[in-house]
Amino acid sequence: MTATVHGFQTQVTKLLDLLANSLYSNKEVFLRELISNASDAIDKLHFLSLTNQDLIKDDPNFKIRIRADKESQTLTISDNGLGMTLDEANSHLGTIAESGTEAFMKELTGDAAKDSQLIGQFGVGFYSAFIVADKVTVLSRSANAKEEEGVKWESDGNGTFESENIVRKSRGTEVILHLKDSEKDFLETWTLRDAITKYSDHISTPVELYEEKYEAPKEGEENKDEKKEPKFEYVQVNDARALWTRPSKEVNDEEYKEFYKHISHDYQEPLTWAHNKVEGDLEYTSLLYVPKTAPWDLFTRQQDHGLKLYVQRVFIMDKAEAFQPNYLRFIKGLVDTNSLPLNVSRELLQDSAVTRKLKKALTKRSLNMIEKLSKDKDAYQSFWAQFGNVLKEGPVEDYDNREAVLKLLRYASTKNDSNVQNVSLDDYISRMVEGQDKIYYITAESYEAALNSPYLEQLKKKGIEVLLMWERIDEWLMGNVTEYAGKEFVCANASDLKLGKLADEEEKKKQETASEENKALIARFKSALGDKVKDVIVSTRLIDSPSCVIADGNRMMTMQMRRILEATGQPIPEEKFTLEINPEHALLKKAASETDNERFNIWAELIYEQALLSDQGALKDPSSFVKCMNKLLAE
Ligand code: ADP
């Protein structure tokens, strides 16, 4: 069979051009990528061999081998893992599928200098071979295939690759790098040993380096200067104990970070991690990480997530979602357990009691890890910016951990002078004013709208802090939680602020007399607005604003929320509000002095609609509002 020439996917060509021309600052990362691929291939075959011993019976000891050959200037990384068929080689080594590389491609600016800097931060998988090689040959055979179904794949990285079937006796893959003249350093044992140890110490497969054998000179031979051919042998250079099986005291931060990159395909370091070993009834080891940045698809439903599952140190599956609640889907890592059978399948996982127990335990671990992170204010702010809105799904999704998740939430507040979300519910409670026993908050369309909301006026005057919320999810969340640490949540726009001891008798009296005094005005408003409003009353909460609207019960829906729900086809009943007016306000005084009834109606309309507008952020019929306003302005 002759080799077939294939063109690379356009993105690959672009990537390869960049790799070839970039001043790569950390060239040795190609070793990390290739060792990582070899180790993945071995994990996959190891798993398949659990149910089909025949796959590995001729070569049962998994290993990765690295061999430099100075004469041919090649460096070969080989593994006896799963290998590839011709089709697999053509598609896996000719296109970009992995999200890490995709993310990298998205970040590219087209500016060569900037882009080459970027490369240094990303792992670009197999293609990183072209950082140091001007030609790459891959020999492979799938463990499932016959000898004559071996594969040879070759490319110089210039737009095309060639591939063909060959006869290959052994299974697994051999990646042969024809090193550039400038990269001959990677043929030297000490350079290789250094890099390989760094990138493979956490891998559970032995990694062996082909090294010159050291032979102690025999007695009496020291000074003979007859030339001896050097002898070579494979020497294992890594510890080959899976990182998570080592006691956490023995693992340093660098190793944890390196391991994160290996399992997550993330090019950045993790924000934090937690490594736990649990013995007893439910036996497991978990290693959980919080990434630095959220994946672009964090809020899409099909987002891949889940932990790597190992059973008795054997890799079983990637992205096992069954161990995490949805709102912790950003957490990466693994769980290794002795409590599940080796032949466990995704379906079995779904309805296993052990899975449920593990999920419960791992959820607690994750929440503890985040709670610990929250002690570091700066780190937590960066975490919050990335994952805060996902965490807010928690109190509703996970009833058992409702309080624990609420504890982790952060909000902007009237006690801050910026929109920074850094106030916890515990902070809030710790500085409640005397006699306060409720947590006050307001939801609005934006920070500014929340901050300047007329509903806050009375609370502000009493020195009561109000949490300011404007994320889409806030309204939904607050509609589904009633209290934290025994303190009821009360929305500042509620008809009854439940001020309790904080209510002012004097104020109440004042309102009563004001209601008496303004009886006529209220009656005029009621007749002007008719059944648009439920009621009209004199407000106690308003100080600087002329009016506001309130609904029955705790809270109402913003226009935005209403539109979202309407768009999903849900019938939303028209809401009728009570209009609160502030007779002390200049605008109300002006309206009250209006003797012409028709003109008063326009005033009433305007005062009602502006209250609606500042509450809802939008109006059903903005142009009629504008008309009213213009009429009065023109006079
Ligand atoms: P990633 O490892 O992020 O998926 P790579 O570009 O490194 O991306 O590799 C692409 C694919 O090629 C792998 O997912 C795997 O299917 C295949 N592959 C690479 N190296 C090997 C190997 N040593 N053995 C078997 N398959 C491999």
Side-chain angles (χ1 to χ4, degrees):
M1 182 178 164
T2 52
T4 313
V5 181
H6 301 264
F8 281 115
Q9 183 192 21
T10 335
Q11 278 144 299
V12 178
T13 309
K14 260 204 260 172
L15 179 60
L16 291 175
D17 279 349
L18 257 167
L19 286 174
N21 301 317
S22 68
L23 303 161
Y24 210 95
S25 58
N26 189 14
K27 297 191 179 198
E28 66 185 29
V29 295
F30 79 91
L31 275 167
R32 170 176 79 206
E33 302 293 329
L34 297 180
I35 292 173
S36 205
N37 281 349
S39 139
D40 286 350
I42 285 173
D43 278 352
K44 285 178 198 160
L45 181 59
H46 189 180
F47 173 66
L48 292 175
S49 70
L50 295 175
T51 46
N52 184 359
Q53 278 293 323
D54 286 352
L55 285 173
I56 58 166
K57 72 170 185 287
D58 54 333
D59 183 9
N61 298 319
F62 292 112
K63 56 186 165 291
I64 297 168
R65 288 184 145 176
I66 296 170
R67 176 174 182 164
D69 181 4
K70 286 190 174 159
E71 215 161 290
S72 60
Q73 207 170 305
T74 57
L75 181 66
T76 301
I77 294 100
S78 58
D79 65 72
N80 55 357
L82 183 59
M84 285 174 276
T85 63
L86 184 58
D87 282 347
E88 284 164 349
N90 286 341
S91 72
H92 296 334
L93 309 183
T95 54
I96 292 177
E98 192 51 48
S99 53
T101 316
E102 238 177 2
F104 167 74
M105 298 303 291
K106 278 210 193 89
E107 299 258 329
L108 291 181
T109 59
D111 173 341
K114 272 192 200 142
D115 289 347
S116 59
Q117 282 221 325
L118 256 183
I119 292 180
Q121 304 168 10
F122 279 80
V124 288
F126 169 75
Y127 305 106
S128 61
F130 289 96
I131 297 171
V132 293
D134 45 25
K135 185 165 98 178
V136 177
T137 310
V138 178
L139 304 176
S140 190
R141 199 194 97 201
S142 164
N144 294 306
K146 300 190 201 85
E147 283 187 7
E148 57 274 23
E149 292 169 327
V151 177
K152 181 178 176 187
W153 178 105
E154 193 162 77
S155 175
D156 60 5
N158 284 325
T160 59
F161 63 87
E162 289 183 6
S163 63
E164 64 185 312
N165 273 123
I166 56 164
V167 174
R168 187 173 154 82
K169 291 237 175 319
S170 51
R171 67 156 197 265
T173 304
E174 218 170 296
V175 178
I176 304 163
L177 309 175
H178 306 265
L179 296 181
K180 296 176 187 170
D181 286 336
S182 54
E183 311 303 336
K184 278 192 210 155
D185 204 28
F186 287 110
L187 299 170
E188 303 298 341
T189 305
W190 63 83
T191 311
L192 288 171
R193 208 170 223 284
D194 231 39
I196 296 167
T197 318
K198 177 167 165 200
Y199 294 132
S200 64
D201 241 1
H202 55 262
I203 286 174
S204 46
T205 310
V207 176
E208 300 176 349
L209 179 62
Y210 198 60
E211 286 184 342
E212 194 167 335
K213 195 171 178 176
Y214 175 75
E215 282 178 293
K218 286 193 191 112
E219 230 168 299
E221 278 186 352
E222 283 97 336
N223 295 322
K224 274 190 188 167
D225 53 16
E226 79 178 58
K227 268 210 172 150
K228 271 217 285 182
E229 274 294 302
K231 281 192 186 147
F232 281 82
E233 65 183 346
Y234 280 105
V235 181
Q236 184 174 328
V237 291
N238 66 340
D239 187 348
R241 267 192 303 162
L243 176 121
W244 67 92
T245 63
R246 291 157 54 191
S248 55
K249 280 194 297 283
E250 283 177 22
V251 185
N252 66 36
D253 287 2
E254 271 321 303
E255 290 175 298
Y256 278 123
K257 290 177 189 171
E258 242 347 287
F259 186 69
Y260 168 75
K261 292 180 187 173
H262 167 66
I263 59 163
S264 67
H265 293 273
D266 189 351
Y267 60 93
Q268 284 183 311
E269 285 179 358
L271 201 53
T272 186
W273 58 86
H275 183 190
N276 296 92
K277 193 176 199 137
V278 176
E279 272 155 18
D281 220 16
L282 184 70
E283 279 201 17
Y284 71 90
T285 301
S286 61
L287 177 51
L288 305 172
Y289 289 94
V290 176
K292 233 181 212 148
T293 31
W296 60 273
D297 58 352
L298 188 59
F299 289 99
T300 57
R301 262 177 219 202
Q302 302 81 357
Q303 193 231 359
D304 281 343
H305 67 275
L307 303 176
K308 268 183 193 285
L309 171 65
Y310 291 78
V311 173
Q312 296 164 38
R313 279 165 301 291
V314 178
F315 169 75
I316 306 294
M317 68 179 79
D318 257 325
K319 296 171 184 155
E321 310 98 344
F323 300 106
Q324 284 175 313
N326 237 318
Y327 70 96
L328 294 176
R329 60 186 175 275
F330 55 89
I331 291 191
K332 301 224 159 122
L334 64 87
V335 53
D336 185 351
T337 179
N338 292 347
S339 306
L340 285 166
L342 274 165
N343 62 356
V344 69
S345 65
R346 245 171 236 280
E347 293 68 41
L348 265 167
L349 272 188
Q350 289 306 337
D351 41 38
S352 122
V354 176
T355 306
R356 277 193 292 279
K357 278 191 207 156
L358 278 171
K359 178 175 177 179
K360 209 169 161 183
L362 294 173
T363 302
K364 280 253 151 58
R365 296 242 170 259
S366 301
L367 293 175
N368 283 343
M369 167 170 65
I370 298 172
E371 152 106 73
K372 240 192 206 160
L373 182 69
S374 73
K375 308 269 187 285
D376 176 345
K377 293 253 175 335
D378 289 340
Y380 201 64
Q381 275 300 293
S382 100
F383 164 81
W384 185 253
Q386 294 292 323
F387 303 110
N389 282 339
V390 192
L391 219 52
K392 286 178 187 166
E393 297 170 14
V396 181
E397 181 188 350
D398 186 358
Y399 194 86
D400 292 344
N401 290 304
R402 177 167 287 217
E403 290 263 317
V405 183
L406 284 171
K407 198 182 178 65
L408 299 172
L409 305 187
R410 295 293 181 271
Y411 291 103
S413 145
T414 48
K415 287 272 149 89
N416 278 355
D417 46 15
S418 76
N419 63 356
V420 190
Q421 301 176 9
N422 62 0
V423 177
S424 71
L425 294 173
D426 290 327
D427 294 338
Y428 182 96
I429 290 172
S430 74
R431 52 192 190 215
M432 278 183 168
V433 299
E434 221 186 297
Q436 184 186 352
D437 62 354
K438 305 279 187 278
I439 300 173
Y440 292 97
Y441 69 93
I442 183 87
T443 60
E445 305 278 310
S446 64
Y447 166 69
E448 288 74 17
L451 183 68
N452 300 317
S453 166
Y455 301 103
L456 309 189
E457 288 169 5
Q458 185 196 16
L459 293 167
K460 272 188 195 157
K461 194 178 138 206
K462 289 186 185 295
I464 297 174
E465 179 170 10
V466 180
L467 298 175
L468 305 174
M469 310 181 183
W470 62 91
E471 306 282 356
R472 266 189 183 197
I473 190 170
D474 290 329
E475 209 178 321
W476 169 81
L477 173 61
M478 298 316 287
N480 283 289
V481 290
T482 51
E483 57 165 57
Y484 172 75
K487 307 270 186 292
E488 190 185 345
F489 288 116
V490 176
C491 186
N493 69 11
S495 55
D496 177 6
L497 286 177
K498 304 185 182 171
L499 285 166
K501 289 189 197 128
L502 295 170
D504 212 308
E505 279 312 310
E506 222 173 283
E507 266 173 24
K508 246 192 203 156
K509 281 227 176 76
K510 229 167 107 191
Q511 192 204 11
E512 275 161 24
T513 34
S515 301
E516 253 329 286
E517 282 167 10
N518 293 289
K519 237 178 170 169
L521 181 61
I522 287 174
R524 281 180 90 187
F525 263 98
K526 280 186 186 169
S527 90
L529 296 171
D531 60 2
K532 279 185 189 157
V533 293
K534 198 158 179 196
D535 199 2
V536 180
I537 59 171
V538 170
S539 177
T540 48
R541 81 183 85 206
L542 296 176
I543 292 165
D544 300 324
S545 303
S547 60
C548 68
V549 289
I550 51 169
D552 285 344
N554 203 4
R555 45 192 308 290
M556 50 189 142
M557 214 180 285
T558 59
M559 196 60 96
Q560 185 188 7
M561 186 74 149
R562 177 175 285 275
R563 288 206 183 112
I564 293 170
L565 290 177
E566 275 167 355
T568 65
Q570 297 188 45
I572 313 291
E574 267 313 314
E575 215 170 352
K576 256 195 213 170
F577 300 105
T578 294
L579 175 67
E580 283 193 9
I581 54 170
N582 175 7
E584 299 301 310
H585 195 275
L587 213 54
L588 267 292
K589 289 199 166 135
K590 196 128 201 203
S593 68
E594 183 56 67
T595 47
D596 181 69
N597 256 342
E598 212 155 292
R599 281 243 291 280
F600 178 83
N601 289 353
I602 300 175
W603 274 111
E605 195 73 31
L606 189 81
I607 286 166
Y608 167 62
E609 297 221 324
Q610 66 162 273
L612 266 186
L613 180 62
S614 71
D615 177 66
Q616 300 279 297
L619 288 173
K620 267 241 151 90
D621 184 2
S623 61
S624 105
F625 171 68
V626 172
K627 249 185 229 152
C628 284
M629 190 171 65
N630 288 347
K631 229 181 237 166
L632 290 174
L633 283 176
E635 282 168 12

